[in-house]
Amino acid sequence: MVVQPPAGEDVAERIVDIDVSAEMETSYLEYAYSVIYSRALPDARDGLKPVQRRILYGMDQMRIRPDVAHVKCSRVVGQVMGLYHPHGDSAIYDALVRLGQPWSMRLPTVDGHGNFGSPDAGPAAMRYTECRMAPAAVAMTADIEADTVDFRPNYDGKETEPVVLPAAFPNLLVNGSQGIAVGMATNIAPHNLVEVVQALKHLLRHPDADNAELMRFVPGPDFPTGGKIIGLDGVSDAFTTGRGTFKVRATARIEQVHARRKGIVVTEMPYQVGPERIIEQVKTLVTSKRLTGIADIKDLTDLANGTRLVIEVKNGFNPDAVLEELYRLTKLEDTFAANNVALVDGQPSTLTLRDMLRVYLDHRLEVIRRRSMFQLGKARDRLHLVEGLLIAIVDIDDVIAIIRSSDDVAQARARLMDAFELTETQTNYILDMQLRRLTKFSRIDLEAERERLWATISDLEGILGSDERLHEVTASELDEIARAHGTPRRTVLLASAGTQVTAARATASLEIADDPCWVLLSSAGLLARTESAEPLPSSGPRAVHDVITSAVRTTARGDFCVFTSTGRLLRGHAIEVPGVPNTATAPNLQGGSPAVELLPLAPGERILGLGSLGQATFGWALGTRKGVVKRVQPEVLGKDAWDIIRLDEDDEVVGAVELEHDLVELVFITSDAQLLHFPASSVRPQGRSGGGMAGVKLGSRAQVVFFGAAGVDGSTVVTVAGSSAALPGTDAGSMKVTPLAEYPGKGRATGGVRCQRFLKGEDTLLLAWAGADPAIAAAASGAPIDLPAPDPRRDGSGVSISQPVAAVGSRFHA
């Protein structure tokens, strides 16, 4: 290295020898540190990289909130680049666009207007697009002015920027993160906000909870594009070690795309995979003759119907076999390699599920503590001024006289302080006010404000002085976030891909013996077929992964029927249902397939139960939301779909069962906690076109939440009460378990008896069930939920439970 010498000195004497390897090592490390800390890795507290944090903070300072008009993205980019992030406009704009893409972010923080791109194409230039903060971004920056986080100088020292955002929701887990640093990378999957909030609340109550316990609340990633995760072992590895690999598969079903041809319709894509990429891969495979049987492929995706990729299959080819080849050869089945790396206390760390939850929870507790301290200081300062005004307003005339008779401000201040024993702060506040404002103050208003300030100070001191109160506030705010921004899970979790389809699938019905078997329906909507007719064990606590809500015995090549919420009866073919083995204690439903992929269900149509065709002597019974009951005699169906009840326009079926005999009791449970049961024999059978008859008398604004059949002896009633205003899936409510025999039977079309007393804040039944002992419950993820002890009081109140119940069933056995 040569240093320019002063005038008159020899150049050779100013040459400094430096080891090249040492210089390269030092320079490379400095570059690596800069990339790791300032660009590529997110902070585990708010889940944001520096550029993302600066974008949200810059928009917050510009007041581009959700209630104002969109502004040009170039304006935001220029502001952020000029004040906080001098690394080029393209990097800032790329980060801004990703924050607003609903297929990239599970909970977008930027509300984009214009062409923000697609999974296959980039966005328009920043001069053409507009943006503003999304509601979630407001939650990320909320209370930032209340000294909740530390600030540091910006790159030129003229402004300050936050080190981290307050982050009212766990952004790292909810939206995930991707980045490539030097020598390390991060790839964190998005997750469901409601599930993560439930896990955080559990960790608040149980600080020693391990990863396995927390996975009951967060069973796996929840991608914004939906799809199915195949293989839960990789998910478990990612949660317990910070690294894991699992497959993400597109959601596809076989449809009659037109009169003479079937096709494969893809409605959900793997994360970060677009339809155009699939089309390109399929065309390449067909041209090279590696894939046969495809006649055409069309992308019918639009804003109204969402993703819809239609792959037409040539006549004579099995669509199931073609779909399996597409999974094998294209990105319709992709691999997600989770690598949960983020900055913790400024150091890159590989984080488990518990680590990510714990870091965020510690950060949020600190934010609320600092906010409470800031608000407490403000309240005390205001109380101090109000108390001074109350002193002065009593003798307002003397105050005015002292001020008027004083030679200057200093003399007036001293005389007021001496006359009324005011502090200098109180006196300055009175002197700085205009006289006309001082006379407007009402003593009653000031005293009311003082009472409010006392209450506020007492509440804030309670929060700062008690960890329990601090935790209560944190849990309450997390609940508010879940109610405001939570959405149902989109990604289906499967332990395996289900049935293995081969090119010879068309002859599967000839290869599989027509042996007796069971077809099962789970609470998560999975259909599965047992591989044998062995009686299912009753000693197991539950079905593997799920609760069995309905079962029917048939043969491997036989038919069964499905009851739906629209009053339809659909024919199903057992050979098309994935086969699953029985474990030692219960059937394994993880190899099943979603029923919507196997049956022609209309949008919004739900499956209520299974039945046999041509075998039930006493037919089927149906109950509707408006309290109508109907019995239908079984008939041999010549079609694949029949309407078996005539429904009013705003009515739907809530329960349908197959009757083994007419001595069983039909049970109605309504939203206002009324239970009615009466003999099935009291309902006269009708034909398929009949509209049924009155089943239960409903109260004002009440509706039926459960209909089923059960014997009086040996049956249980389970009810869950909660608030009708809560977001579905967020209110755990209170649960009550009572023997059915405790409720007296009444005649059909009567009002029934009360089955649960509502607690404060409860006004409806969220869920109800009646069936054979013993009952079991499961969450939306399939995780079991412990039931409270049976309560012999038929109208008693429920017991609070830890998480929302998605389904209740009985331990199935033959």
Side-chain angles (χ1 to χ4, degrees), residues 389-411:
L389 289 174
L390 282 171
I391 294 174
I393 203 171
V394 174
D395 298 308
I396 187 64
D397 295 333
D398 293 341
V399 171
I400 295 173
I402 290 173
I403 295 174
R404 293 185 62 187
S405 62
S406 300
D407 294 334
D408 53 27
V409 175
Q411 185 182 19

Side-chain angles (χ1 to χ4, degrees), residues 733-744:
S734 62
M735 177 184 286
K736 177 172 172 285
V737 180
T738 306
L740 180 61
E742 297 295 331
Y743 301 97

